[in-house]
Amino acid sequence: MVDAVSAAPHFAGPSKAVRVLRGPATIRLRAGEVFAAACAGRTAHFSVDLGKLEIAADRTVAAIRADYPTLEIPYHSRWRHFDAGGVDRWARLAARLPDDKLERARVGVDLAVASVLLDAGAGPEWRYRTPDGIYARSEGLAVASVDLFSAGVFSADPKAPLRADAAALQRFDAAALARGFQVSAENPLVGLEGRAGLLRNLGLAIAARPDLFGPSPRVGNLVDRLLFDAKDGTLPAARILALLLDGFADAWPARRVVDGVNVGDVGVHPAATDGLVPFHKLSQWLSYSLLEPLEALGLRIVDLDALTGLPEYRNGGLFLDTGVLALKDPSAAARTHDATSELVVEWRALTVVLLDRVADLVRAKLGLAAADFPLAKVLQGGTWTAGRRIAAELRAGGPPPLAVASDGTIF
């Protein structure tokens, strides 16, 4: 399969402007510009009180010590949610696979990608019911996606149901998603059509890129391309993100096009260079979620902290709920905001910078070096959990401090 992928037709690379917007270094740089402006009082929506960052760090440390007393923390990834309720759902799937490490890695990538693209905020009312329990939010979406995957919904080959291929993805629709996710008028799911459309677009995107996904396009064939790109079994984390942003570019809604290329999760804010702030939240969440199947195959993934923290409502909520960030217009907390609005872009940019800063404080408090405790573990241990827990303390049902209208393709 490596030869098939590497021998596929050559595709012209993106322009320099597109490469810049796709780079994780640019995410930090542009977010830093917004952060500097906010600290100087030159942004419209948030003030910053770094004196309260210790509160966020202490909350994060408390969550880590409660959940991981030995400090043996896995990566922040979709795989954590697959075990919701203490059920090892991957083991159930793996028992149906041949004893082939490469194929297991491909299936793991198939599953992770499909699940992450279905992972945007579920809304407060939706629940997924199984014999194992009732699940909501991210855990519910993960369990439901595993069940869909297990049923072969993402495969066009009945003899190989455990895969996500272009043919099946292209015909996936909101009705199939609603059935699989138990959606009804009494059990509404936010962004139903957006999620289904994202998977259809994914099918189209991978079909157009045999250089990355093989002549019989399948998401999991990305493993073969990553093996081809690895040097002596070593692969930089940023390379995973680069391939995902390249290969999946046309899967995302075309909110912003640069040099004819859909650049995906890029926000607009006047404090940033060119007015553009890239985030690539779902693509980075996906990059983190591919680490485990790739490492199980024997690849060594390095430079994890080249990737950024994830600017979503749990991490961002931690900083609002601890007072590190404050709305300049408190009434904004009572309104629902578009995910691409300047207020939300500002919140997300500040979150990127604050996650790096709180990670340094957390490492110091735990006596751990960055090499041993990368951001992917700080998030898991971590800021995401601390954000969820403080939200539950402050608001019935634990919603985030800001309501964001989601179409299922950003958060």
Side-chain angles (χ1 to χ4, degrees), residues 94-143:
R96 297 166 55 187
L97 297 174
D99 186 17
D100 179 337
K101 290 178 68 174
L102 180 55
E103 179 59 17
R104 284 178 181 240
R106 292 186 189 118
V107 172
V109 169
D110 283 324
L111 171 61
V113 170
S115 185
V116 166
L117 267 62
L118 292 170
D119 184 41
E125 300 177 61
W126 179 79
R127 299 291 184 272
Y128 186 71
R129 291 167 170 80
T130 77
D132 303 316
I134 300 174
Y135 303 96
R137 298 191 180 273
S138 288
E139 289 84 356
L141 294 168
V143 173

Side-chain angles (χ1 to χ4, degrees), residues 247-274:
F248 294 170
D250 290 334
W252 308 110
R255 294 183 178 89
R256 183 158 298 277
V257 175
V258 174
D259 294 339
V261 174
N262 177 10
V263 293
D265 185 11
V266 175
V268 176
H269 196 283
T273 298
D274 299 329

Side-chain angles (χ1 to χ4, degrees), residues 128-217:
Y128 186 71
R129 291 167 170 80
T130 77
D132 303 316
I134 300 174
Y135 303 96
R137 298 191 180 273
S138 288
E139 289 84 356
L141 294 168
V143 173
S145 66
V146 172
D147 288 348
L148 268 184
F149 186 85
S150 182
V153 172
F154 304 125
S155 172
D157 184 354
K159 295 180 180 179
L162 300 182
R163 63 173 59 190
D165 58 47
L169 290 168
Q170 287 178 66
R171 63 174 183 248
F172 189 72
D173 61 18
L177 182 58
R179 288 192 300 271
F181 277 32
Q182 303 172 357
V183 176
S184 66
E186 296 74 32
N187 191 36
L189 177 68
V190 172
L192 187 68
E193 182 54 58
R195 295 170 206 267
L198 193 53
L199 287 188
R200 287 196 301 275
N201 289 342
L202 174 65
L204 292 169
I206 67 172
R209 294 298 302 271
D211 60 320
L212 298 181
F213 302 103
S216 299

Side-chain angles (χ1 to χ4, degrees), residues 14-83:
S15 69
K16 180 180 178 181
V18 172
R19 293 197 305 272
V20 166
L21 286 173
R22 286 177 174 175
T26 306
I27 300 174
R28 282 192 167 93
L29 177 64
R30 303 283 176 88
E33 292 171 343
V34 177
F35 181 79
C39 288
R42 292 187 285 103
T43 59
H45 304 288
F46 294 92
S47 58
V48 181
D49 184 351
L50 291 178
K52 293 183 177 176
L53 196 58
E54 285 279 348
I55 301 172
D58 287 339
R59 280 274 185 170
T60 302
V61 169
I64 289 170
R65 292 201 180 280
D67 291 355
Y68 301 100
T70 65
L71 301 185
E72 296 176 2
I73 303 173
Y75 298 132
H76 185 59
S77 82
R78 195 59 167 152
W79 295 90
R80 308 287 75 76
H81 296 148
F82 291 153
D83 294 338

